Amino acid sequence: MLEKFKFDARQPLFNVQTDIQVKSNILGIDFSYFFHLFIRHFFLTFLLKILTFRGTFSALFRIFKFSSFFYLMLMYWMFLPFQAMAQLKTGISISNYAGINSVSLNPSSTSNSKLFADVNLFSGGVFFDNNFLFIHKEDYKLLNFLKKKPSLPSAEIKGEGLDYSTEWKSVDGFVQADVFGPGFSMSMGKHTFGIFSKVSTITSIDDLPYETAVLAFEGIDYDTLLGTNVVHSEFATAAVSWWEVGGHYSQILSEKGRNVISFGANIRKLYAWAGGYAQGNSINYTLDSDSLQSELIYNLDIESLDAAAAFSAPLNYDSIYYPTGVNDFKGSGWAGDIGITFRKNRFVSDNFRYRRPCEKPYDDYLYKIGLSIMDIGNVIFKKNIQLHEYENINTEWLDIESLEYENLNQVISQISYELTGDSASTRSSGSFAIGLPAALGFQSDIQYFPKWYLSALAVIPLRLNDIQIKRPSQALISLRYETPTLEFGIPVSLYNFQAPRIGLYARFNYFTIGTDKLGGFFGLNDFYGLDFYFAIKYHILKGVCGLKKPAGNCNHLSF
């Protein structure tokens, strides 16, 4: 017989000492058990699913099986809602040696690459940051996160360890973790072809009420907010975990003198393990306390609530012990990226017909300007889904800590009963779709001195779906030194066009490592997040066939 669990909303959301503990006590619900169940099943499902692919995709397993750290991290941050920021991976996206890794920023970039062929062996990144949670710099030590049993600061003492900001009226967020598997691109004259694969988890928070976040952190018995009327308009959160395989193509459309225009596109097939969203048009509530037979109880007075939520996950919602027995994807979809680049070459390109495509040399440029639209598409969930709508809710939820549950379905049913008087009235049928974090991208790159470049990037979110992961806006300027063997750069960026940060990256031959937020490693300021990415690749330069040196180009000589 399953043990019944009683909600304890008086405990704070974060209570971590020597081991990682994940608790979510919003409205008194402790989902820690479900979370760890989800983690275990996701990891096993992923390995089993990849293992079932034969032929070409068997290589994915050999590479991905070493990446358990990333999968644990990405699912861990997926269920901690107060994250923010999007990862640009500057060092492996703007370089002329980026190859197939550059196509996510602008697909036309491979036509301007210095590489004839590029093979991505293994790359990835983890990025999390936020405007709410932070660790005081005096208590932050990066090495504590890397231990076998990570030691995290306590949230018990105000002003020490884990804390939250009081500077914002709402919580916005974006977190992204990626593991890139095998990828390949090859230039064939004016045409470039490529394939790639990736595992991603993305979570976004858009305009979550600040008071709700504080209650989740402090616990429901936080006296400061008792009796406070919280009125908030639109808010949303969404999360998706998926595997994808994609194809890439770019082409030089026009070449007149030194002016070159190129176009590129990606098409991606997405297979999702899990996803969900919660979206509200309005909320108006007051949390208060009362005495019942000399015992203090907490009541939630909801003046109005207009919201909807849906989720699909590899879990059996009727059991806290056993996940679903079918190891399959819960959703799928299509996505695409398009881009165009104008390039001003240093010299007029020759029209010589080379015997082999690898013999054609690289055409150096003075500057280039690009425009792209990223992440056009969505994931549609049709399996193991739950859809809930909360319309025109006006009720008082008495003693919200008194609920007991045996499984996730029971929790949802009881919430529905407390809000509407009917345990099934909020549930609806059908499927649901979550849009990817679409954005408009602008890129420029100037070679102001041989081997020295100055780059500028801007990313502006686009709303293409009613329910969508929202990407934050970003702007970046980067100075880099670039040679075939050595490359390094210093990017300076603005998150949401407000918060400045500085990064550093370096490439030695085929290995790149970097960060767009250097302060996250050294504790120079309060710790709001961390950014890290790397790439292990192999490439062949244009003009190089086998072990030959780059071919000369007589048309580029001056007399």
Side-chain angles (χ1 to χ4, degrees), residues 61-227:
F61 175 72
R62 292 196 295 271
I63 292 179
F64 287 151
K65 68 180 181 179
F66 299 109
S67 58
S68 60
F69 167 77
F70 287 97
Y71 301 125
L72 291 174
M73 283 295 294
L74 63 86
M75 293 307 297
Y76 176 69
W77 291 109
M78 176 179 173
F79 278 83
L80 286 181
F82 308 115
Q83 319 302 324
M85 201 165 180
Q87 188 171 30
L88 289 175
K89 301 184 183 72
T90 309
I92 54 176
S93 61
I94 67 173
S95 170
N96 290 310
Y97 296 90
I100 192 64
N101 294 85
S102 67
V103 301
S104 59
L105 185 63
N106 188 329
S108 66
S109 60
T110 52
S111 291
N112 311 306
S113 173
K114 292 183 178 181
L115 307 181
F116 161 69
D118 180 54
V119 179
N120 179 74
L121 299 175
F122 186 50
S123 62
V126 176
F127 205 133
F128 55 95
D129 207 324
N130 76 103
N131 67 345
F132 183 73
L133 290 176
F134 70 93
I135 299 174
H136 289 273
K137 61 181 180 181
E138 296 82 5
D139 303 309
Y140 168 69
K141 292 182 179 179
L142 178 62
L143 294 179
N144 289 341
F145 290 93
L146 305 179
K147 294 179 180 178
K148 186 175 182 180
K149 291 187 176 181
S151 176
L152 303 179
S154 171
E156 294 184 347
I157 304 176
K158 189 68 176 176
E160 296 182 11
L162 187 64
D163 208 342
Y164 60 89
S165 173
T166 59
E167 298 181 5
W168 306 93
K169 295 182 179 180
S170 62
V171 178
D172 300 316
F174 188 97
V175 61
Q176 181 171 349
D178 301 302
V179 177
F180 291 84
F184 175 77
S185 66
M186 177 176 287
S187 177
M188 305 292 289
K190 293 185 177 182
H191 307 272
T192 303
F193 306 88
I195 58 173
F196 53 88
S197 58
K198 182 176 68 170
V199 172
S200 289
T201 282
I202 300 180
T203 302
S204 70
I205 296 291
D206 182 22
D207 209 19
L208 183 75
Y210 174 78
E211 294 83 0
T212 304
V214 173
L215 284 174
F217 185 95
E218 296 284 2
I220 208 166
D221 59 345
Y222 185 52
D223 293 339
T224 303
L225 289 181
L226 290 179

Side-chain angles (χ1 to χ4, degrees), residues 73 276 383 428 522:
M73 283 295 294
K383 298 181 180 179
S428 60
F522 301 106

Side-chain angles (χ1 to χ4, degrees), residues 342-406:
F342 170 81
R343 186 176 80 230
K344 187 75 167 183
N345 283 346
R346 185 175 294 275
F347 305 102
V348 177
S349 179
D350 62 52
N351 294 314
F352 183 76
R353 290 179 174 266
Y354 292 93
R355 187 169 59 92
R356 292 183 293 176
C358 57
E359 294 178 348
K360 181 174 174 58
Y362 167 72
D363 292 317
D364 203 7
Y365 63 88
L366 296 174
Y367 65 87
K368 60 182 179 180
I369 300 173
L371 189 67
S372 61
I373 302 178
M374 302 165 277
D375 287 327
I376 307 166
N378 59 24
V379 178
I380 301 175
F381 290 90
K382 297 182 179 180
K383 298 181 180 179
N384 204 32
I385 69 171
Q386 290 212 15
L387 286 162
H388 295 270
E389 296 180 357
Y390 306 92
E391 296 181 347
N392 302 318
I393 302 297
N394 185 330
T395 187
E396 186 175 12
W397 185 341
L398 301 177
D399 193 10
I400 66 174
E401 296 180 284
S402 63
L403 296 180
E404 295 181 345
Y405 66 89
E406 293 181 351

